[in-house]
Amino acid sequence: MNADETSRYVRLRVDLVLEVQEADALTGAALERIAADEFMPQEERAHAEAAVREDDSEALAYLVDPTDLIVDVPGVELAQASWSTESVEYDPESMEWELDEEDGVFDEKEDDSA
């Protein structure tokens, strides 16, 4: 591939940390989505339901499809996608979780003019 061909591809990285405030609501919604999936084989359905009941991150994975972010974006076509969910220990005060300028965060004190 030459430079013109490779520049047509853009990697979009999104990293979200979500707080599950109502685990029962999350699990229930995921179970409803699984039950409504007419193409899911019964054996896979049983496995999915068990996983969703055991792990909030599994429930979230059945409800969120990051490709939905670009479905209505004009002029682009999805070339490849992958994502995962996992439970994490989160401490908003930790430097590990601090976003930097490359992540699009700016100092709010500098932008008081808005």
Side-chain angles (χ1 to χ4, degrees):
M1 269 189 218
N2 64 36
D4 289 337
E5 290 174 327
T6 58
S7 66
R8 293 182 22 210
Y9 294 92
V10 176
R11 181 182 305 265
L12 171 65
R13 293 187 181 158
V14 177
D15 192 15
L16 304 171
V17 176
L18 306 173
E19 179 182 1
V20 177
Q21 296 181 334
E22 295 182 39
D24 290 341
L26 176 64
T27 300
L31 291 171
E32 287 176 17
R33 172 76 56 91
I34 292 166
D37 187 344
E38 60 189 51
F39 300 108
M40 186 180 292
Q42 189 57 36
E43 185 176 303
E44 185 179 335
R45 185 181 315 277
H47 175 74
E49 289 171 346
V52 161
R53 285 186 177 100
E54 291 178 20
D55 188 349
D56 291 341
S57 68
E58 288 289 334
L60 190 62
Y62 279 95
L63 294 171
V64 176
D65 184 345
T67 61
D68 290 343
L69 291 171
I70 56 95
V71 71
D72 293 327
V73 176
V76 300
E77 181 178 329
L78 182 63
Q80 179 182 354
S82 69
W83 62 94
S84 65
T85 58
E86 64 182 337
S87 296
V88 296
E89 295 295 323
Y90 177 65
D91 177 6
E93 302 298 321
S94 169
M95 293 294 285
E96 174 184 356
W97 293 100
E98 200 166 297
L99 299 176
D100 59 24
E101 290 178 16
E102 288 183 10
D103 294 323
V105 175
F106 57 92
D107 187 351
E108 292 178 17
K109 294 176 186 174
E110 294 176 10
D111 192 38
D112 288 336
S113 62

